[in-house]
């Protein structure tokens, strides 16, 4: 792997922020597919790969999702919403969250904004599963908005000194 690839990956991780305001510009299908492909390549326990991804670009469906999602009203204004469902396995939550994080970083690398919204055990989990016609046995682990950012949120993260511990807590 070249140093350039490592630098690009680190910059994508460090530069990603949650975006809740979007331009109305559509996102090319090839970019969406590349983002989902990055999710598909995430590690999973026992290589179970429990995830299934639903891409929603239809305005009416995004509005239904936004109405259901307690803290995701901005989904209606984003040109894309991606839902991450998983069949239940011993580590489906961790596995699918790893896939979602890959997709959020890939979105940022493509110049897009995104915002993770909780799914599993949220009061709206079943309603969104119904809206998207998820088969029985699948859980909504997370969903996220996606599009070209119409804001530039700054970092609001704890410092490394606050979270890093060596040898013991």
């Amino acid at each position: 792997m070249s140093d350039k690839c490592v630098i690009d990956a680190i910059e994508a991780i460090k530069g990603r922020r949650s975006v809740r305001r979007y331009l109305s510009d559509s996102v090319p299908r090839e970019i969406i597919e590349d983002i989902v492909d990055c999710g598909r390549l995430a590690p999973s326990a026992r290589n179970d790969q429990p995830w299934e991804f639903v891409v929603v670009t239809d305005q009416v469906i995004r509005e239904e999702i936004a109405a259901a999602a307690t803290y995701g009203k901005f989904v209606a204004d984003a040109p894309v919403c991606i839902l991450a469902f998983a069949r239940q396995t011993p580590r489906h939550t961790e596995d699918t969250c790893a896939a979602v994080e890959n997709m959020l970083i890939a979105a940022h690398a493509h110049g897009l904004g995104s915002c993770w919204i909780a799914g599993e055990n949220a009061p709206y989990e079943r309603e969104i599963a119904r809206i998207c016609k998820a088969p029985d046995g699948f859980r909504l682990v997370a969903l996220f908005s996606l599009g070209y950012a119409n804001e530039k949120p700054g970092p609001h993260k704890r410092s490394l000194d606050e979270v890093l511990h060596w040898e013991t807590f």
Side-chain angles (χ1 to χ4, degrees):
M1 182 178 294
S2 74
D3 289 339
K4 178 71 172 137
C5 290
V6 173
I7 290 168
D8 288 345
I10 298 297
E11 287 176 357
I13 291 167
K14 289 185 174 184
R16 195 214 69 78
R17 297 287 177 269
S18 293
V19 170
R20 293 173 179 85
R21 293 189 188 130
Y22 299 92
L23 300 173
S24 61
D25 303 0
S26 63
V27 178
R29 182 182 185 104
E30 305 79 42
I31 292 176
I32 296 169
E33 288 177 351
D34 190 50
I35 290 166
V36 174
D37 196 36
C38 288
R40 175 188 68 84
L41 296 170
S44 66
R46 302 177 322 185
N47 201 28
D48 280 338
Q49 303 175 57
W51 45 67
E52 300 286 336
F53 307 109
V54 177
V55 175
V56 179
T57 58
D58 180 90
Q59 180 69 40
V60 173
I61 298 172
R62 283 186 289 108
E63 287 174 2
E64 285 184 68
I65 292 167
T70 309
Y71 297 103
K73 303 307 180 199
F74 50 88
V75 166
D77 299 323
V80 180
C81 177
I82 299 179
L83 300 102
F85 288 92
R87 69 181 185 289
Q88 292 188 336
T89 64
R91 297 284 177 254
H92 71 271
T93 302
E94 295 92 330
D95 293 346
T96 307
C97 286
V100 170
E101 180 66 6
N102 275 13
M103 290 188 282
L104 296 174
I105 293 166
H108 181 71
H110 274 288
L112 297 167
S114 62
C115 187
W116 178 309
I117 304 161
E120 194 167 29
N121 299 319
Y124 47 82
E125 177 186 0
R126 289 180 192 251
E127 176 61 13
I128 291 177
R130 183 199 64 74
I131 291 167
C132 295
K133 300 181 171 127
D136 289 341
F138 280 82
R139 301 286 308 267
L140 173 66
V141 175
L143 61 140
F144 61 95
S145 54
L146 181 70
Y148 294 99
N150 196 15
E151 65 176 343
K152 290 204 179 257
H156 300 288
K157 302 292 182 182
R158 293 167 52 200
S159 72
L160 183 61
D161 291 341
E162 291 179 89
V163 301
L164 174 62
H165 311 277
W166 292 93
E167 314 312 339
T168 63
F169 199 91

